[in-house]
Amino acid sequence: MKSQCFAVSLITVALLSCAAQAGESGLKSVGLGVSMVQNPYAGTDSSVSLLPLVNYEGERLFVRGLLGGVHLYKGEGFGLDAILAGRFDGIDADDFGRTELDENGINRDLLKDRDDGVDLGLRGTWRGSAGELQASARGDVSGASDGYELALEYGYPMQVAGATVTPSVAVSYLSDRLADYYYGTLKDEEAQGVKRYRPGSVVVPSLTLGVSRPFGERWLLTAEASYQRLPGDLTDSPLTDGDSGQLGVKAGVSWVFD
């Protein structure tokens, strides 16, 4: 599996290169962050990754953290974007725990790698005094899973003691191809004797709390804590550890331009 930092860097560089060729300028901030995510796969530890933090806002192109794209429409209270983002759910077969898989009736030597992917899609955003609502549809264009995800997220930013605090709630629909690829068994594996498991399409709810606070004249601290609850169809997979609650934490510091 390719590293998350490398994959995100490639996407960021590609989008910024397009902006430079188009003559756009709008780099807002750059920084570095760290991400710790609980891994759902059997016998694996939480993954820790360094993340480039880039906030670029041009007339048409944008990059915000792990996601970038093109503004298709910007109006008062509503925007529509074409988005490009990495999907970092992949895992090398050797990273599974052999003992834990044996207990689930799976021979690790018969498993294939699950690759990271790249998603392309659309996102609509509604902003108002009641908060922000986002609806997105994104599908794999890298040939990893060939699946898609539909998501709806609501957040309400608040000013608390000089910081912006944003609690949000989201629900995602993962298509059968997407869920089967990352949480089920593959045809090549089943042909070698691995017992078949296909979770099919699932709905995954999540909660997130984000905080950002400026300090000094040019610095910005950001932090985010998230909780995702996997449904039974995913936790019943012999590839997972059976834990439905998945936690994630991100933190970073950025230099803010004028």
Side-chain angles (χ1 to χ4, degrees), residues 114 145 174-186 196-201 234 239:
R114 269 67 174 171
S145 70
L174 309 185
S175 72
D176 52 358
R177 286 189 176 183
L178 182 59
D180 289 349
Y181 180 73
Y182 288 111
Y183 294 93
T185 54
L186 307 179
R196 177 185 172 95
Y197 187 83
R198 305 287 177 84
S201 59
L234 299 187
L239 303 183

mmCIF file with all atom_site columns, all heavy atoms in Angstrom, residues 114 145 174-186 196-201 234 239:
data_model
loop_
_atom_site.group_PDB
_atom_site.id
_atom_site.type_symbol
_atom_site.label_atom_id
_atom_site.label_alt_id
_atom_site.label_comp_id
_atom_site.label_asym_id
_atom_site.label_entity_id
_atom_site.label_seq_id
_atom_site.pdbx_PDB_ins_code
_atom_site.Cartn_x
_atom_site.Cartn_y
_atom_site.Cartn_z
_atom_site.occupancy
_atom_site.B_iso_or_equiv
_atom_site.pdbx_formal_charge
_atom_site.auth_seq_id
_atom_site.auth_comp_id
_atom_site.auth_asym_id
_atom_site.auth_atom_id
_atom_site.pdbx_PDB_model_num
ATOM 1   N N   . ARG A 1 114 ? -4.948  -4.815  -0.817  1.00 0.00 ? 114 ARG A N   1
ATOM 2   C CA  . ARG A 1 114 ? -6.030  -3.879  -1.137  1.00 0.00 ? 114 ARG A CA  1
ATOM 3   C C   . ARG A 1 114 ? -5.358  -2.522  -1.376  1.00 0.00 ? 114 ARG A C   1
ATOM 4   O O   . ARG A 1 114 ? -4.739  -1.967  -0.476  1.00 0.00 ? 114 ARG A O   1
ATOM 5   C CB  . ARG A 1 114 ? -7.025  -3.759  0.018   1.00 0.00 ? 114 ARG A CB  1
ATOM 6   C CG  . ARG A 1 114 ? -8.202  -4.730  -0.051  1.00 0.00 ? 114 ARG A CG  1
ATOM 7   C CD  . ARG A 1 114 ? -7.773  -6.156  0.119   1.00 0.00 ? 114 ARG A CD  1
ATOM 8   N NE  . ARG A 1 114 ? -8.921  -7.069  0.184   1.00 0.00 ? 114 ARG A NE  1
ATOM 9   C CZ  . ARG A 1 114 ? -8.819  -8.369  0.157   1.00 0.00 ? 114 ARG A CZ  1
ATOM 10  N NH1 . ARG A 1 114 ? -7.623  -8.950  0.064   1.00 0.00 ? 114 ARG A NH1 1
ATOM 11  N NH2 . ARG A 1 114 ? -9.890  -9.129  0.202   1.00 0.00 ? 114 ARG A NH2 1
ATOM 12  N N   . SER A 1 145 ? -11.097 -0.255  -6.468  1.00 0.00 ? 145 SER A N   1
ATOM 13  C CA  . SER A 1 145 ? -12.356 -0.920  -6.121  1.00 0.00 ? 145 SER A CA  1
ATOM 14  C C   . SER A 1 145 ? -13.425 -0.771  -7.191  1.00 0.00 ? 145 SER A C   1
ATOM 15  O O   . SER A 1 145 ? -14.349 -1.579  -7.260  1.00 0.00 ? 145 SER A O   1
ATOM 16  C CB  . SER A 1 145 ? -12.896 -0.350  -4.811  1.00 0.00 ? 145 SER A CB  1
ATOM 17  O OG  . SER A 1 145 ? -13.359 0.987   -4.987  1.00 0.00 ? 145 SER A OG  1
ATOM 18  N N   . LEU A 1 174 ? -21.696 3.327   1.223   1.00 0.00 ? 174 LEU A N   1
ATOM 19  C CA  . LEU A 1 174 ? -20.639 2.692   0.452   1.00 0.00 ? 174 LEU A CA  1
ATOM 20  C C   . LEU A 1 174 ? -21.261 1.652   -0.471  1.00 0.00 ? 174 LEU A C   1
ATOM 21  O O   . LEU A 1 174 ? -22.007 0.787   -0.026  1.00 0.00 ? 174 LEU A O   1
ATOM 22  C CB  . LEU A 1 174 ? -19.626 2.009   1.376   1.00 0.00 ? 174 LEU A CB  1
ATOM 23  C CG  . LEU A 1 174 ? -19.048 2.838   2.530   1.00 0.00 ? 174 LEU A CG  1
ATOM 24  C CD1 . LEU A 1 174 ? -17.975 2.040   3.265   1.00 0.00 ? 174 LEU A CD1 1
ATOM 25  C CD2 . LEU A 1 174 ? -18.486 4.159   2.034   1.00 0.00 ? 174 LEU A CD2 1
ATOM 26  N N   . SER A 1 175 ? -20.958 1.746   -1.748  1.00 0.00 ? 175 SER A N   1
ATOM 27  C CA  . SER A 1 175 ? -21.519 0.803   -2.705  1.00 0.00 ? 175 SER A CA  1
ATOM 28  C C   . SER A 1 175 ? -20.989 -0.603  -2.449  1.00 0.00 ? 175 SER A C   1
ATOM 29  O O   . SER A 1 175 ? -19.992 -0.797  -1.737  1.00 0.00 ? 175 SER A O   1
ATOM 30  C CB  . SER A 1 175 ? -21.184 1.234   -4.131  1.00 0.00 ? 175 SER A CB  1
ATOM 31  O OG  . SER A 1 175 ? -19.803 1.013   -4.413  1.00 0.00 ? 175 SER A OG  1
ATOM 32  N N   . ASP A 1 176 ? -21.635 -1.600  -3.044  1.00 0.00 ? 176 ASP A N   1
ATOM 33  C CA  . ASP A 1 176 ? -21.223 -2.979  -2.807  1.00 0.00 ? 176 ASP A CA  1
ATOM 34  C C   . ASP A 1 176 ? -19.798 -3.229  -3.297  1.00 0.00 ? 176 ASP A C   1
ATOM 35  O O   . ASP A 1 176 ? -19.023 -3.931  -2.635  1.00 0.00 ? 176 ASP A O   1
ATOM 36  C CB  . ASP A 1 176 ? -22.210 -3.959  -3.441  1.00 0.00 ? 176 ASP A CB  1
ATOM 37  C CG  . ASP A 1 176 ? -22.481 -3.675  -4.919  1.00 0.00 ? 176 ASP A CG  1
ATOM 38  O OD1 . ASP A 1 176 ? -21.929 -2.693  -5.454  1.00 0.00 ? 176 ASP A OD1 1
ATOM 39  O OD2 . ASP A 1 176 ? -23.243 -4.435  -5.533  1.00 0.00 ? 176 ASP A OD2 1
ATOM 40  N N   . ARG A 1 177 ? -19.407 -2.663  -4.429  1.00 0.00 ? 177 ARG A N   1
ATOM 41  C CA  . ARG A 1 177 ? -18.046 -2.874  -4.923  1.00 0.00 ? 177 ARG A CA  1
ATOM 42  C C   . ARG A 1 177 ? -17.004 -2.273  -3.984  1.00 0.00 ? 177 ARG A C   1
ATOM 43  O O   . ARG A 1 177 ? -15.944 -2.859  -3.762  1.00 0.00 ? 177 ARG A O   1
ATOM 44  C CB  . ARG A 1 177 ? -17.896 -2.281  -6.325  1.00 0.00 ? 177 ARG A CB  1
ATOM 45  C CG  . ARG A 1 177 ? -18.571 -3.091  -7.424  1.00 0.00 ? 177 ARG A CG  1
ATOM 46  C CD  . ARG A 1 177 ? -18.189 -2.576  -8.788  1.00 0.00 ? 177 ARG A CD  1
ATOM 47  N NE  . ARG A 1 177 ? -18.753 -3.383  -9.859  1.00 0.00 ? 177 ARG A NE  1
ATOM 48  C CZ  . ARG A 1 177 ? -18.517 -3.185  -11.146 1.00 0.00 ? 177 ARG A CZ  1
ATOM 49  N NH1 . ARG A 1 177 ? -17.729 -2.177  -11.528 1.00 0.00 ? 177 ARG A NH1 1
ATOM 50  N NH2 . ARG A 1 177 ? -19.056 -3.964  -12.050 1.00 0.00 ? 177 ARG A NH2 1
ATOM 51  N N   . LEU A 1 178 ? -17.314 -1.101  -3.450  1.00 0.00 ? 178 LEU A N   1
ATOM 52  C CA  . LEU A 1 178 ? -16.378 -0.440  -2.540  1.00 0.00 ? 178 LEU A CA  1
ATOM 53  C C   . LEU A 1 178 ? -16.237 -1.227  -1.243  1.00 0.00 ? 178 LEU A C   1
ATOM 54  O O   . LEU A 1 178 ? -15.123 -1.528  -0.790  1.00 0.00 ? 178 LEU A O   1
ATOM 55  C CB  . LEU A 1 178 ? -16.857 0.974   -2.242  1.00 0.00 ? 178 LEU A CB  1
ATOM 56  C CG  . LEU A 1 178 ? -15.978 1.835   -1.334  1.00 0.00 ? 178 LEU A CG  1
ATOM 57  C CD1 . LEU A 1 178 ? -14.586 2.000   -1.929  1.00 0.00 ? 178 LEU A CD1 1
ATOM 58  C CD2 . LEU A 1 178 ? -16.624 3.195   -1.103  1.00 0.00 ? 178 LEU A CD2 1
ATOM 59  N N   . ALA A 1 179 ? -17.370 -1.591  -0.628  1.00 0.00 ? 179 ALA A N   1
ATOM 60  C CA  . ALA A 1 179 ? -17.330 -2.335  0.635   1.00 0.00 ? 179 ALA A CA  1
ATOM 61  C C   . ALA A 1 179 ? -16.757 -3.733  0.440   1.00 0.00 ? 179 ALA A C   1
ATOM 62  O O   . ALA A 1 179 ? -15.982 -4.220  1.272   1.00 0.00 ? 179 ALA A O   1
ATOM 63  C CB  . ALA A 1 179 ? -18.736 -2.421  1.232   1.00 0.00 ? 179 ALA A CB  1
ATOM 64  N N   . ASP A 1 180 ? -17.111 -4.390  -0.658  1.00 0.00 ? 180 ASP A N   1
ATOM 65  C CA  . ASP A 1 180 ? -16.607 -5.749  -0.906  1.00 0.00 ? 180 ASP A CA  1
ATOM 66  C C   . ASP A 1 180 ? -15.095 -5.758  -1.105  1.00 0.00 ? 180 ASP A C   1
ATOM 67  O O   . ASP A 1 180 ? -14.411 -6.697  -0.683  1.00 0.00 ? 180 ASP A O   1
ATOM 68  C CB  . ASP A 1 180 ? -17.287 -6.353  -2.142  1.00 0.00 ? 180 ASP A CB  1
ATOM 69  C CG  . ASP A 1 180 ? -18.750 -6.693  -1.908  1.00 0.00 ? 180 ASP A CG  1
ATOM 70  O OD1 . ASP A 1 180 ? -19.187 -6.657  -0.739  1.00 0.00 ? 180 ASP A OD1 1
ATOM 71  O OD2 . ASP A 1 180 ? -19.451 -6.977  -2.898  1.00 0.00 ? 180 ASP A OD2 1
ATOM 72  N N   . TYR A 1 181 ? -14.569 -4.730  -1.765  1.00 0.00 ? 181 TYR A N   1
ATOM 73  C CA  . TYR A 1 181 ? -13.134 -4.712  -2.049  1.00 0.00 ? 181 TYR A CA  1
ATOM 74  C C   . TYR A 1 181 ? -12.313 -4.538  -0.775  1.00 0.00 ? 181 TYR A C   1
ATOM 75  O O   . TYR A 1 181 ? -11.314 -5.244  -0.565  1.00 0.00 ? 181 TYR A O   1
ATOM 76  C CB  . TYR A 1 181 ? -12.806 -3.582  -3.027  1.00 0.00 ? 181 TYR A CB  1
ATOM 77  C CG  . TYR A 1 181 ? -11.338 -3.495  -3.375  1.00 0.00 ? 181 TYR A CG  1
ATOM 78  C CD1 . TYR A 1 181 ? -10.735 -4.436  -4.214  1.00 0.00 ? 181 TYR A CD1 1
ATOM 79  C CD2 . TYR A 1 181 ? -10.546 -2.482  -2.857  1.00 0.00 ? 181 TYR A CD2 1
ATOM 80  C CE1 . TYR A 1 181 ? -9.390  -4.365  -4.531  1.00 0.00 ? 181 TYR A CE1 1
ATOM 81  C CE2 . TYR A 1 181 ? -9.194  -2.404  -3.177  1.00 0.00 ? 181 TYR A CE2 1
ATOM 82  C CZ  . TYR A 1 181 ? -8.627  -3.343  -4.008  1.00 0.00 ? 181 TYR A CZ  1
ATOM 83  O OH  . TYR A 1 181 ? -7.286  -3.270  -4.310  1.00 0.00 ? 181 TYR A OH  1
ATOM 84  N N   . TYR A 1 182 ? -12.722 -3.616  0.096   1.00 0.00 ? 182 TYR A N   1
ATOM 85  C CA  . TYR A 1 182 ? -11.919 -3.330  1.287   1.00 0.00 ? 182 TYR A CA  1
ATOM 86  C C   . TYR A 1 182 ? -12.275 -4.204  2.494   1.00 0.00 ? 182 TYR A C   1
ATOM 87  O O   . TYR A 1 182 ? -11.457 -4.362  3.402   1.00 0.00 ? 182 TYR A O   1
ATOM 88  C CB  . TYR A 1 182 ? -12.045 -1.853  1.659   1.00 0.00 ? 182 TYR A CB  1
ATOM 89  C CG  . TYR A 1 182 ? -11.327 -0.949  0.691   1.00 0.00 ? 182 TYR A CG  1
ATOM 90  C CD1 . TYR A 1 182 ? -12.026 -0.098  -0.155  1.00 0.00 ? 182 TYR A CD1 1
ATOM 91  C CD2 . TYR A 1 182 ? -9.939  -0.956  0.604   1.00 0.00 ? 182 TYR A CD2 1
ATOM 92  C CE1 . TYR A 1 182 ? -11.363 0.736   -1.057  1.00 0.00 ? 182 TYR A CE1 1
ATOM 93  C CE2 . TYR A 1 182 ? -9.265  -0.133  -0.290  1.00 0.00 ? 182 TYR A CE2 1
ATOM 94  C CZ  . TYR A 1 182 ? -9.980  0.701   -1.116  1.00 0.00 ? 182 TYR A CZ  1
ATOM 95  O OH  . TYR A 1 182 ? -9.312  1.506   -2.011  1.00 0.00 ? 182 TYR A OH  1
ATOM 96  N N   . TYR A 1 183 ? -13.477 -4.768  2.516   1.00 0.00 ? 183 TYR A N   1
ATOM 97  C CA  . TYR A 1 183 ? -13.901 -5.531  3.686   1.00 0.00 ? 183 TYR A CA  1
ATOM 98  C C   . TYR A 1 183 ? -14.305 -6.969  3.366   1.00 0.00 ? 183 TYR A C   1
ATOM 99  O O   . TYR A 1 183 ? -14.622 -7.726  4.278   1.00 0.00 ? 183 TYR A O   1
ATOM 100 C CB  . TYR A 1 183 ? -15.066 -4.822  4.383   1.00 0.00 ? 183 TYR A CB  1
ATOM 101 C CG  . TYR A 1 183 ? -14.689 -3.495  4.981   1.00 0.00 ? 183 TYR A CG  1
ATOM 102 C CD1 . TYR A 1 183 ? -14.856 -2.315  4.255   1.00 0.00 ? 183 TYR A CD1 1
ATOM 103 C CD2 . TYR A 1 183 ? -14.148 -3.408  6.263   1.00 0.00 ? 183 TYR A CD2 1
ATOM 104 C CE1 . TYR A 1 183 ? -14.502 -1.087  4.797   1.00 0.00 ? 183 TYR A CE1 1
ATOM 105 C CE2 . TYR A 1 183 ? -13.798 -2.195  6.808   1.00 0.00 ? 183 TYR A CE2 1
ATOM 106 C CZ  . TYR A 1 183 ? -13.968 -1.035  6.069   1.00 0.00 ? 183 TYR A CZ  1
ATOM 107 O OH  . TYR A 1 183 ? -13.611 0.182   6.611   1.00 0.00 ? 183 TYR A OH  1
ATOM 108 N N   . GLY A 1 184 ? -14.309 -7.319  2.097   1.00 0.00 ? 184 GLY A N   1
ATOM 109 C CA  . GLY A 1 184 ? -14.690 -8.668  1.717   1.00 0.00 ? 184 GLY A CA  1
ATOM 110 C C   . GLY A 1 184 ? -13.539 -9.436  1.093   1.00 0.00 ? 184 GLY A C   1
ATOM 111 O O   . GLY A 1 184 ? -12.401 -8.968  1.058   1.00 0.00 ? 184 GLY A O   1
ATOM 112 N N   . THR A 1 185 ? -13.836 -10.618 0.620   1.00 0.00 ? 185 THR A N   1
ATOM 113 C CA  . THR A 1 185 ? -12.828 -11.432 -0.063  1.00 0.00 ? 185 THR A CA  1
ATOM 114 C C   . THR A 1 185 ? -12.938 -11.223 -1.571  1.00 0.00 ? 185 THR A C   1
ATOM 115 O O   . THR A 1 185 ? -13.999 -10.882 -2.090  1.00 0.00 ? 185 THR A O   1
ATOM 116 C CB  . THR A 1 185 ? -13.014 -12.918 0.274   1.00 0.00 ? 185 THR A CB  1
ATOM 117 O OG1 . THR A 1 185 ? -14.376 -13.300 -0.014  1.00 0.00 ? 185 THR A OG1 1
ATOM 118 C CG2 . THR A 1 185 ? -12.728 -13.169 1.744   1.00 0.00 ? 185 THR A CG2 1
ATOM 119 N N   . LEU A 1 186 ? -11.807 -11.442 -2.268  1.00 0.00 ? 186 LEU A N   1
ATOM 120 C CA  . LEU A 1 186 ? -11.738 -11.222 -3.704  1.00 0.00 ? 186 LEU A CA  1
ATOM 121 C C   . LEU A 1 186 ? -11.881 -12.548 -4.451  1.00 0.00 ? 186 LEU A C   1
ATOM 122 O O   . LEU A 1 186 ? -11.623 -13.618 -3.902  1.00 0.00 ? 186 LEU A O   1
ATOM 123 C CB  . LEU A 1 186 ? -10.409 -10.567 -4.064  1.00 0.00 ? 186 LEU A CB  1
ATOM 124 C CG  . LEU A 1 186 ? -10.062 -9.287  -3.289  1.00 0.00 ? 186 LEU A CG  1
ATOM 125 C CD1 . LEU A 1 186 ? -8.701  -8.760  -3.721  1.00 0.00 ? 186 LEU A CD1 1
ATOM 126 C CD2 . LEU A 1 186 ? -11.142 -8.228  -3.459  1.00 0.00 ? 186 LEU A CD2 1
ATOM 127 N N   . ARG A 1 196 ? -15.654 -17.368 1.129   1.00 0.00 ? 196 ARG A N   1
ATOM 128 C CA  . ARG A 1 196 ? -16.266 -16.177 0.540   1.00 0.00 ? 196 ARG A CA  1
ATOM 129 C C   . ARG A 1 196 ? -16.928 -15.309 1.611   1.00 0.00 ? 196 ARG A C   1
ATOM 130 O O   . ARG A 1 196 ? -17.652 -15.805 2.475   1.00 0.00 ? 196 ARG A O   1
ATOM 131 C CB  . ARG A 1 196 ? -17.306 -16.588 -0.504  1.00 0.00 ? 196 ARG A CB  1
ATOM 132 C CG  . ARG A 1 196 ? -18.071 -15.426 -1.138  1.00 0.00 ? 196 ARG A CG  1
ATOM 133 C CD  . ARG A 1 196 ? -19.161 -15.957 -2.050  1.00 0.00 ? 196 ARG A CD  1
ATOM 134 N NE  . ARG A 1 196 ? -20.028 -14.880 -2.532  1.00 0.00 ? 196 ARG A NE  1
ATOM 135 C CZ  . ARG A 1 196 ? -19.870 -14.251 -3.675  1.00 0.00 ? 196 ARG A CZ  1
ATOM 136 N NH1 . ARG A 1 196 ? -18.878 -14.595 -4.480  1.00 0.00 ? 196 ARG A NH1 1
ATOM 137 N NH2 . ARG A 1 196 ? -20.707 -13.297 -4.055  1.00 0.00 ? 196 ARG A NH2 1
ATOM 138 N N   . TYR A 1 197 ? -16.668 -13.989 1.535   1.00 0.00 ? 197 TYR A N   1
ATOM 139 C CA  . TYR A 1 197 ? -17.414 -13.042 2.364   1.00 0.00 ? 197 TYR A CA  1
ATOM 140 C C   . TYR A 1 197 ? -17.559 -11.739 1.591   1.00 0.00 ? 197 TYR A C   1
ATOM 141 O O   . TYR A 1 197 ? -16.573 -11.123 1.184   1.00 0.00 ? 197 TYR A O   1
ATOM 142 C CB  . TYR A 1 197 ? -16.734 -12.756 3.700   1.00 0.00 ? 197 TYR A CB  1
ATOM 143 C CG  . TYR A 1 197 ? -17.619 -11.908 4.598   1.00 0.00 ? 197 TYR A CG  1
ATOM 144 C CD1 . TYR A 1 197 ? -18.609 -12.498 5.354   1.00 0.00 ? 197 TYR A CD1 1
ATOM 145 C CD2 . TYR A 1 197 ? -17.495 -10.518 4.619   1.00 0.00 ? 197 TYR A CD2 1
ATOM 146 C CE1 . TYR A 1 197 ? -19.465 -11.730 6.138   1.00 0.00 ? 197 TYR A CE1 1
ATOM 147 C CE2 . TYR A 1 197 ? -18.338 -9.742  5.393   1.00 0.00 ? 197 TYR A CE2 1
ATOM 148 C CZ  . TYR A 1 197 ? -19.328 -10.348 6.147   1.00 0.00 ? 197 TYR A CZ  1
ATOM 149 O OH  . TYR A 1 197 ? -20.182 -9.600  6.913   1.00 0.00 ? 197 TYR A OH  1
ATOM 150 N N   . ARG A 1 198 ? -18.787 -11.333 1.367   1.00 0.00 ? 198 ARG A N   1
ATOM 151 C CA  . ARG A 1 198 ? -19.084 -10.086 0.663   1.00 0.00 ? 198 ARG A CA  1
ATOM 152 C C   . ARG A 1 198 ? -20.121 -9.309  1.481   1.00 0.00 ? 198 ARG A C   1
ATOM 153 O O   . ARG A 1 198 ? -21.289 -9.719  1.556   1.00 0.00 ? 198 ARG A O   1
ATOM 154 C CB  . ARG A 1 198 ? -19.642 -10.361 -0.737  1.00 0.00 ? 198 ARG A CB  1
ATOM 155 C CG  . ARG A 1 198 ? -18.762 -11.248 -1.624  1.00 0.00 ? 198 ARG A CG  1
ATOM 156 C CD  . ARG A 1 198 ? -17.540 -10.510 -2.118  1.00 0.00 ? 198 ARG A CD  1
ATOM 157 N NE  . ARG A 1 198 ? -16.682 -11.379 -2.907  1.00 0.00 ? 198 ARG A NE  1
ATOM 158 C CZ  . ARG A 1 198 ? -16.839 -11.626 -4.205  1.00 0.00 ? 198 ARG A CZ  1
ATOM 159 N NH1 . ARG A 1 198 ? -17.838 -11.077 -4.854  1.00 0.00 ? 198 ARG A NH1 1
ATOM 160 N NH2 . ARG A 1 198 ? -15.991 -12.421 -4.837  1.00 0.00 ? 198 ARG A NH2 1
ATOM 161 N N   . PRO A 1 199 ? -19.714 -8.202  2.112   1.00 0.00 ? 199 PRO A N   1
ATOM 162 C CA  . PRO A 1 199 ? -20.672 -7.462  2.944   1.00 0.00 ? 199 PRO A CA  1
ATOM 163 C C   . PRO A 1 199 ? -21.757 -6.757  2.155   1.00 0.00 ? 199 PRO A C   1
ATOM 164 O O   . PRO A 1 199 ? -22.841 -6.500  2.672   1.00 0.00 ? 199 PRO A O   1
ATOM 165 C CB  . PRO A 1 199 ? -19.787 -6.442  3.665   1.00 0.00 ? 199 PRO A CB  1
ATOM 166 C CG  . PRO A 1 199 ? -18.596 -6.265  2.777   1.00 0.00 ? 199 PRO A CG  1
ATOM 167 C CD  . PRO A 1 199 ? -18.372 -7.606  2.147   1.00 0.00 ? 199 PRO A CD  1
ATOM 168 N N   . GLY A 1 200 ? -21.503 -6.424  0.897   1.00 0.00 ? 200 GLY A N   1
ATOM 169 C CA  . GLY A 1 200 ? -22.482 -5.662  0.137   1.00 0.00 ? 200 GLY A CA  1
ATOM 170 C C   . GLY A 1 200 ? -22.498 -4.202  0.552   1.00 0.00 ? 200 GLY A C   1
ATOM 171 O O   . GLY A 1 200 ? -21.683 -3.752  1.356   1.00 0.00 ? 200 GLY A O   1
ATOM 172 N N   . SER A 1 201 ? -23.417 -3.442  0.016   1.00 0.00 ? 201 SER A N   1
ATOM 173 C CA  . SER A 1 201 ? -23.494 -2.015  0.312   1.00 0.00 ? 201 SER A CA  1
ATOM 174 C C   . SER A 1 201 ? -23.869 -1.792  1.779   1.00 0.00 ? 201 SER A C   1
ATOM 175 O O   . SER A 1 201 ? -24.639 -2.550  2.359   1.00 0.00 ? 201 SER A O   1
ATOM 176 C CB  . SER A 1 201 ? -24.514 -1.333  -0.595  1.00 0.00 ? 201 SER A CB  1
ATOM 177 O OG  . SER A 1 201 ? -25.802 -1.909  -0.433  1.00 0.00 ? 201 SER A OG  1
ATOM 178 N N   . LEU A 1 234 ? -19.771 -5.071  8.137   1.00 0.00 ? 234 LEU A N   1
ATOM 179 C CA  . LEU A 1 234 ? -18.330 -4.867  8.020   1.00 0.00 ? 234 LEU A CA  1
ATOM 180 C C   . LEU A 1 234 ? -17.570 -5.508  9.176   1.00 0.00 ? 234 LEU A C   1
ATOM 181 O O   . LEU A 1 234 ? -16.532 -6.134  8.971   1.00 0.00 ? 234 LEU A O   1
ATOM 182 C CB  . LEU A 1 234 ? -18.003 -3.372  7.950   1.00 0.00 ? 234 LEU A CB  1
ATOM 183 C CG  . LEU A 1 234 ? -18.598 -2.598  6.770   1.00 0.00 ? 234 LEU A CG  1
ATOM 184 C CD1 . LEU A 1 234 ? -18.044 -1.179  6.740   1.00 0.00 ? 234 LEU A CD1 1
ATOM 185 C CD2 . LEU A 1 234 ? -18.349 -3.298  5.455   1.00 0.00 ? 234 LEU A CD2 1
ATOM 186 N N   . LEU A 1 239 ? -11.841 -10.321 7.797   1.00 0.00 ? 239 LEU A N   1
ATOM 187 C CA  . LEU A 1 239 ? -10.654 -9.479  7.622   1.00 0.00 ? 239 LEU A CA  1
ATOM 188 C C   . LEU A 1 239 ? -10.536 -8.400  8.684   1.00 0.00 ? 239 LEU A C   1
ATOM 189 O O   . LEU A 1 239 ? -9.500  -7.730  8.770   1.00 0.00 ? 239 LEU A O   1
ATOM 190 C CB  . LEU A 1 239 ? -10.681 -8.807  6.241   1.00 0.00 ? 239 LEU A CB  1
ATOM 191 C CG  . LEU A 1 239 ? -10.778 -9.723  5.016   1.00 0.00 ? 239 LEU A CG  1
ATOM 192 C CD1 . LEU A 1 239 ? -10.710 -8.890  3.751   1.00 0.00 ? 239 LEU A CD1 1
ATOM 193 C CD2 . LEU A 1 239 ? -9.669  -10.768 5.034   1.00 0.00 ? 239 LEU A CD2 1
#
